[in-house]
Every structure is written in structure tokens, then in C-alpha cells.
Amino acid sequence: MATQYAISGTTARTIAASVERGVAEGSLGPGAALPPVRALADGLGVSPGTVATAYRELRQRGIVVTRGRGGTVVAHAPAVGSRRPPRVPAGVRDLAGGHPDPAFLPVLTPPDRVAPVHGSHRGSPRLPALETLAREWFTRDGVPDGQVTFAHGALDCIARLLSTELKPGDAVAVEDPGFHHLLDLVPALGLRMVPVAVDDEGMRPDELGQALRAGARAVLCSPRGQSPRGGRFSARRREELLEVLGAYPEVLVVEDDHNADIAGVPLHSLTTAGLPRWAQVRTASKHLGIDLRWAALACDATTLARHDGRLLLTSGWVSHVLQETAARLLADPGTRDLVAAGQEAYTARRAALIEALGRHGIAAHGESGLNVWVPVRDESAVVNGLRTRGWWVAAGTRFRIDSLPAVRITSAALEEADALRLASDFAAVLGESEATYGG
């Protein structure tokens, strides 16, 4: 066995529980290999079929993955317990979180009085005023608004879409590098990830084609403000992707347009082309505040029915208090002006950092959104080197599957003078790394 943890049990249920306990306690970390089925069966005195059933249950729950000849291993982000981002060290500037500048976020103003409700809101889950505003939000960028509904944030919405559309073991095409919470979510739902490389224009059509030929039944993509690289669909890339998708009408295409109001670039959406199965998710957290856990979903009729049917059986609806808060903000001219100012500042700050790094010969990417992606040879050396100089950036490993090393820098609150200093420190750290490790 590749691990010192002793798996126990005499039934599929107790064997699976033993593995889950080891993962939850940290004795079996991500990537830890489990014994071959027959070897564990012999060690426990049970049939191979019992162990195989236990492993199948663990796979369906996203705790382990099977890698062919590589055997069964603990998933990269197993669905056991909760995984928090690294704690920001004291005394450093936090540029790792991907958060907007609080200066451009409005004050949340819930309704002053909330009258008691007799019964529930399941019969009328959406406030008409907010539904109208949501339709206008999508229509502004050409996204069809025939079917619109709400969710408790983008991840909640995407999880519901995938869990109602797919079954455990199905494959999902995901961006690589991609949003780390989505890369954690997909295996947690018992689904397989098929990485699709991205560049400054988003998903690469050739790699998307490979993923679809490999059996991907859903595609998760960001049309702009892509995290962590900052890519955005160009008009040409949109057409190239649509040409690939045309041969797979049964595949569900989910766009995560979480930076819709602050991406700083126009939307070239796949959803405007009449795809049979599609959805676009927009969240308010990046431009109205992270505590406003509300998202709007536009989609085809089948997807709407499946999403809302599952929502009805769980939370039922998004809090009307939360909906009214969102509606007030979306309709407020002052809030719209503040968000527009934020978008302008984010674009300027992102460009300033890329330019500052470029003066030192450091290539960086960030066509849209709140972050800049900087390829490096040694993520740890750069993260630790910048930490000694007072900066805290995100190691790219959290966002990568097969893509090359890099670090993500959140530029949203980085003024130009700070960008110049950071770029100088970055260059010095790279120089030290080359001197230490020979490049």
C-alpha cells in the first residue's frame, strides 16, 4: 500500500466509510493511492466484489477517482469536509483572493420592514420586479431571455444544472486553467473532468473538439472575465467554438458570466446562436457584493424545468428579502454609476500591471476581469519570494489540471504606483530563483 492508513470494514458500506474517514482526517490526502481491489479484498477477508462496490460508491460521491492503470486515488478536492484557501500571512498585501475593490461596491440595503408570510413562496418564487430587471440584464448583451430563473449564486446554480443533467461518472469539459471552485465542484458531484486548454480568447476549439469526442456531456466555460487567465471570447473564437459544438446538439453548454458588469469587454456569447441545450449564469457578487448570494439564469426550456424542479424540492426559492435587496440595487442609478466606475478602474489597473511587468520582460495575461495570470517556472519560489517583499499572490496549482505553472495576481485594488513596485519585486524574485535553481 502507498499509504500507512489501514482501511477497515467487512461490507461495502463500512469499507467506504473507513476510506471517507481517512480522507476527512487527513490520513489519506489528495492523490493518495488506494490498494488494488483484489489486494484490499484479500487483506480484509472479503470478496473483490464487495471492495469494488465500495470504490464505486466513493467514486460516485467524488471522494476518489480512477485513473486506468494508475489505479484508484483520492480526488484532488474530495467531497469530504471543507477546503479553505490558504490563510493570508500577517503584514502582507493580499492579491490572491480574486475579490473586487470594496470602494466600488454599494452598501446593501435590505427592505426596512418584512411582513410575515402565510405559507411559502413556492407558488411565486421570483419577484416580478427582479425578474424584469434580470431579463433586461440578459437582453442588454443579446442573451435570449425567454426562460429566466434565480439561484443562490453561480456555483449553486451550476451544481444544480450538472446534477440534474448528468449521472455519476459522466464527463464534463472544463477550462484549464480554470476557476478552482468549479474544478473542485465537478469531481465532488461524482463527474469526470476533461480539461480544455484556454488562451487569451478562451477555450481552444481544437481541444474542445477533443473533449467532446472523448464523451463530454456538458461544457463549462467563461465568455469573459475568465478566472484565472482573464480570457474573453472574441467574435472569431465564438464562431469557431460554435462550429465545433454544432456536431454535438445533445451537449449542455453552460456559460459562467460572473463578471458581466465589470469584465471591461463586450460579450460574444455562445448562447445567442440557437444552441439546443444552453445556460448562462450571472452572479451579483463581483459588482454588488460577495454577501449578495443571488444569481440569474437564462437557459433553454428543458434546462429551466430541470433546474427549477430540483430547486423546488430543496430550498424552494431564493429569499424574497434577498431578491428585493438585489432589485433595489439593480434599479438604482447611483449603483449603476458606481459599478461603471469600478469597471473603468479595473480595466486600467489590470492594464497597468501587465504593462509594468512587460517592462521587466515578464509576460502576463489578462484580457478582462479582475486578475492577471503570470506564467512562471516555479510557483512556490515566486509566491514565497513575493511574500518576503510584502505581497501575497495565488499559486497557480489551485487552478490547473494539465496547464503549465503560473501565479494569479488580483489587480482589482492595485493602484498604478503599487503595480510598478510589484513588477520590480517580481523581477527581483525571478532573478533570485534563476540564480538559485539555474533558471
Side-chain angles (χ1 to χ4, degrees):
M1 292 176 61
T3 174
Q4 297 299 314
Y5 181 78
I7 299 172
S8 61
T10 57
T11 66
R13 181 181 61 81
T14 56
I15 293 169
S18 175
V19 173
E20 182 173 355
R21 185 165 55 252
V23 174
E25 294 173 350
S27 301
L28 290 172
L34 301 188
V37 169
R38 188 168 296 279
L40 182 57
D42 289 344
L44 297 177
V46 300
S47 71
T50 298
V51 175
T53 299
Y55 281 12
R56 182 168 61 250
E57 178 184 337
L58 291 165
R59 281 195 303 272
Q60 291 175 345
R61 294 169 53 212
I63 297 173
V64 303
V65 294
T66 299
R67 295 177 174 172
R69 294 183 178 179
T72 299
V73 302
V74 177
H76 172 66
V80 176
S82 60
R83 197 174 68 140
R84 303 292 182 183
R87 184 182 299 275
V88 180
V92 299
R93 177 82 176 272
D94 182 11
L95 302 177
H99 303 305
D101 186 343
F104 298 108
L105 296 177
V107 175
L108 301 184
T109 54
D112 296 330
R113 296 174 58 85
V114 180
V117 175
H118 178 71
S120 77
H121 287 300
R122 277 183 163 82
S124 54
R126 296 183 294 279
L127 289 180
L130 184 57
E131 185 170 348
T132 297
L133 289 165
R135 292 182 187 279
E136 292 173 354
W137 196 16
F138 287 115
T139 303
R140 180 193 70 190
D141 293 315
V143 178
D145 69 341
Q147 290 85 31
V148 171
T149 190
F150 303 156
H152 303 90
L155 289 169
D156 169 73
C157 183
I158 292 172
R160 194 172 295 110
L161 292 175
L162 294 180
S163 63
T164 57
E165 185 72 22
L166 308 180
K167 64 181 185 300
D170 283 345
V172 180
V174 298
E175 296 168 330
D176 182 22
F179 183 38
H180 60 293
H181 288 309
L182 277 179
L183 300 187
D184 292 348
L185 174 65
V186 172
L189 295 173
L191 306 172
R192 293 186 295 112
M193 293 190 295
V194 182
V196 177
V198 298
D199 56 26
D200 290 341
E201 296 182 79
M203 274 188 165
R204 289 175 44 182
D206 56 336
E207 296 225 1
L208 176 60
Q210 292 176 18
L212 293 171
R213 289 191 293 274
R217 294 192 55 207
V219 177
L220 301 181
C221 59
S222 303
R224 54 184 171 179
Q226 193 266 351
S227 180
R229 189 181 168 108
R232 84 288 181 260
F233 290 168
S234 63
R236 181 188 65 179
R237 178 59 56 85
R238 171 185 178 274
E239 295 306 315
E240 293 170 343
L241 293 172
L242 286 172
E243 183 176 357
V244 173
L245 290 165
Y248 301 90
E250 73 284 359
V251 169
L252 175 64
V253 178
V254 180
E255 284 188 349
D256 179 10
D257 194 18
H258 63 284
N259 272 320
D261 285 50
I262 53 174
V265 293
L267 176 67
H268 296 288
S269 174
L270 302 173
T271 68
T272 62
L275 293 172
R277 301 300 314 284
W278 64 274
Q280 189 184 93
V281 187
R282 292 190 173 187
T283 180
S285 61
K286 294 298 184 184
H287 70 288
L288 298 181
I290 60 173
D291 206 31
L292 192 61
R293 310 308 296 166
W294 171 79
L297 168 68
C299 56
D300 66 271
T302 298
T303 300
L304 179 81
R306 292 177 178 178
H307 175 277
D308 281 8
R310 180 64 59 85
L311 180 67
L312 182 67
L313 295 173
T314 54
S315 60
W317 68 92
V318 176
S319 161
H320 279 207
V321 176
L322 196 64
Q323 290 191 45
E324 186 167 340
T325 303
R328 290 184 179 195
L329 291 171
L330 289 175
D332 177 51
T335 298
R336 289 198 293 267
D337 291 343
L338 183 63
V339 171
Q343 177 174 247
E344 183 176 344
Y346 298 144
T347 300
R349 292 170 182 176
R350 189 178 64 249
L353 178 56
I354 293 173
E355 181 181 357
L357 290 167
R359 291 175 186 173
H360 293 275
I362 303 170
H365 304 274
E367 294 291 317
S368 58
L370 305 178
N371 304 294
V372 171
W373 184 247
V374 189
V376 298
R377 294 185 178 182
D378 188 327
E379 294 178 2
S380 296
V382 171
V383 171
N384 292 327
L386 289 175
R387 175 183 177 180
T388 66
R389 287 168 168 78
W391 308 101
W392 185 244
V393 302
T397 186
R398 298 171 62 198
F399 308 93
R400 300 188 292 107
I401 303 175
D402 294 331
S403 53
L404 296 175
V407 296
R408 191 189 75 171
I409 305 173
T410 299
S411 56
L414 196 66
E415 299 286 355
E416 183 175 359
D418 292 331
L420 294 172
R421 184 166 62 88
L422 172 59
S424 178
D425 288 343
F426 204 116
V429 168
L430 290 181
E432 293 172 358
S433 175
E434 290 178 1
T436 302
Y437 300 106

